[in-house]
Amino acid sequence: MKSKYPKLAPDKIESLSMCEVFVFGSNLQGHHTGGAARYAYKHFGAEWGVGIGPTGQCYAIPTMHGGVDDIRPYVEDFVKYAKSHPLNRFLLTRIGCGIAGFSDKQMAMLFYDAGASKLPNVAFPEEWIVWYATFASIDQCSYMSEPNVPEVLTDDVLRELCREYLYQIGAGIRTGLPFVRIRYVLDDNKFGYAYFGQFFFYGDQLYVWDRDEIWKDTHNQGVVVDTFHDECDGRGYAHPVIFAGVCTNLKDIHGDFIYTGDVVRTDKLHDSLLGVQAINYPEEYGIILDNHSLPLKECQQIERMGTVFYNLGKDTFQPDIIRERCNELLNLLGPRLPFEEVHRHIRFTPNFYTDEW
């Protein structure tokens, strides 16, 4: 996961991270006597006598027993293996282009036809990337295309998206990711913001990648390795934060984006101040009321007045924090408190206190 351009394998592979796999050309007998096969045997755990498939931190593809069509089934098996191991990164050497006598174009086309170029966790030699540009632009590969993202993102949907794109998040791949922006509690008086790919979940706890040295002491390498099965060198420091909402892509009357967890006033609620959250029916971003809900899209005027993130405990539990806080705010309306009284309980910046309001 160390390469900044994940589809390009290093020119000279001398070391592997925990998740990386060295893919080399072999013979059916598994006699690793020269070239990349010998290097795999001496340094990365390739077993003598095994010429097909995974051993150590390697994957062997036989290329010495016939023509391109004879190699094709083994390449197809490799693609299936890479697809079934999404957290591994497979570094392809110029398989078949040495003593086997095939050209870079032949081998590049073989892997392209098998679908290897559509996998984000397979990296190719530079000589093959040139040929892929003639077959079809590498930017058109499926892992780089605009993904389908649910219109409404609940906490559970956001966690599921992170699981689906876990390799890309760990490897720092920035293309082909869902366009999602979240907010989190940075400290007791400000929020932080991150796009998809800059954060992940470990269980229910949200973690954010950050390169600033101030997060060095709070970096949790154990969580990184347990989540990505790799060191994720170069990604920065992973530190825990409190999830504080997802951008709804709707704006208020001042042109500010509205996030779940914002407290808003609308033309349909008069002087009431209520929190925005994902609602199940209709599936929209909106406001939960006593026995029904109000989608934000039905409101003509919306003004952000604050957020539900105040009087937070340092050990604030993650799941459903927005829903729970919005419901607490709704309960304040029971005695019909004056506008000023309710407004006293909301702020645009979070604060940590010991007393619950």
Side-chain angles (χ1 to χ4, degrees):
M1 289 191 182
K2 292 182 287 189
S3 175
K4 291 184 179 180
Y5 182 45
K7 298 297 287 187
L8 182 62
D11 289 336
K12 191 173 183 181
I13 303 170
E14 296 180 334
S15 63
L16 298 173
S17 72
M18 291 174 64
C19 83
E20 290 177 329
V21 177
F22 185 81
V23 185
F24 66 96
S26 65
N27 51 62
L28 290 172
Q29 297 74 30
H31 295 167
H32 310 313
T33 56
R38 179 174 175 80
Y39 200 86
Y41 172 65
K42 291 185 65 176
H43 299 282
F44 300 139
E47 293 184 18
W48 189 269
V50 180
I52 305 170
T55 58
Q57 273 191 271
C58 304
Y59 191 100
I61 298 178
T63 61
M64 300 289 292
H65 59 287
V68 170
D69 288 337
D70 297 305
I71 302 170
R72 191 181 306 278
Y74 298 104
V75 174
E76 292 172 348
D77 287 344
F78 162 72
V79 171
K80 292 176 184 177
Y81 183 84
K83 189 179 294 185
S84 66
H85 292 75
L87 290 184
N88 284 120
R89 180 164 185 255
F90 296 89
L91 307 179
L92 291 181
T93 59
R94 293 176 62 234
I95 291 170
C97 298
I99 58 175
F102 297 101
S103 68
D104 284 302
K105 180 180 179 180
Q106 286 176 301
M107 289 293 100
M109 193 65 185
L110 180 59
F111 279 83
Y112 180 84
D113 288 343
S117 65
K118 296 182 179 180
L119 300 179
N121 59 333
V122 177
F124 301 90
E126 186 174 2
E127 292 85 352
W128 293 13
I129 294 289
V130 173
W131 285 109
Y132 287 145
T134 66
F135 303 150
S137 172
I138 198 71
D139 291 337
Q140 295 174 357
C141 291
S142 61
Y143 87 97
M144 282 185 162
S145 60
E146 190 67 29
N148 293 322
V149 181
E151 188 173 347
V152 177
L153 296 177
T154 64
D155 296 358
D156 289 339
V157 171
L158 196 61
R159 280 193 286 268
E160 183 58 37
L161 279 176
C162 285
R163 283 191 289 269
E164 182 179 348
Y165 290 89
L166 198 60
Y167 173 81
Q168 290 91 325
I169 295 171
I173 298 175
R174 298 180 181 180
T175 52
L177 298 180
F179 186 75
V180 175
R181 193 184 190 209
I182 69 164
R183 180 176 62 187
Y184 57 92
V185 177
L186 189 61
D187 55 37
D188 63 353
N189 57 27
K190 71 184 296 188
F191 288 116
Y193 298 86
Y195 287 98
F196 195 89
Q198 298 172 322
F199 59 87
F200 64 93
F201 287 89
Y202 183 71
D204 290 320
Q205 176 67 59
L206 176 67
Y207 279 79
V208 174
W209 294 109
D210 202 309
R211 296 180 184 276
D212 196 311
E213 289 293 320
I214 64 173
W215 302 110
K216 183 176 181 179
D217 293 338
T218 56
H219 173 67
N220 193 324
Q221 186 63 17
V223 164
V224 170
V225 172
D226 199 32
T227 301
F228 300 101
H229 301 173
D230 195 65
E231 304 95 324
C232 297
D233 290 344
R235 290 297 282 122
Y237 304 112
H239 59 97
V241 296
I242 298 173
F243 176 64
V246 62
C247 184
T248 67
N249 293 322
L250 299 170
K251 294 184 178 181
D252 76 348
I253 59 175
H254 303 294
D256 296 324
F257 278 111
I258 300 171
Y259 285 75
T260 54
D262 279 341
V263 176
V264 299
R265 177 170 58 176
T266 80
D267 56 311
K268 293 203 172 188
L269 291 176
H270 306 295
D271 285 338
S272 296
L273 297 177
L274 291 172
V276 175
Q277 58 181 303
I279 54 181
N280 294 327
Y281 183 80
E283 195 172 79
E284 296 275 8
Y285 292 115
I287 298 166
I288 303 294
L289 300 172
D290 292 335
N291 56 5
H292 64 290
S293 58
L294 175 63
L296 287 186
K297 288 182 178 179
E298 293 184 7
C299 302
Q300 297 297 317
Q301 289 189 319
I302 308 170
E303 185 176 12
R304 295 172 64 241
M305 304 299 293
T307 76
V308 298
F309 299 96
Y310 48 87
N311 288 5
L312 292 172
K314 286 289 187 179
D315 57 348
T316 299
F317 192 52
Q318 297 298 312
D320 300 325
I321 180 175
I322 291 175
R323 180 180 59 81
E324 292 169 3
R325 285 280 173 165
C326 288
N327 289 344
E328 288 177 8
L329 188 59
L330 177 62
N331 291 334
L332 276 181
L333 295 180
R336 305 305 300 178
L337 294 177
F339 178 90
E340 294 77 10
E341 179 66 17
V342 178
H343 193 262
R344 186 172 66 84
H345 294 289
I346 63 176
R347 303 179 179 90
F348 278 117
T349 55
N351 287 266
F352 294 94
Y353 291 93
T354 56
D355 297 329
E356 295 292 335
W357 54 269

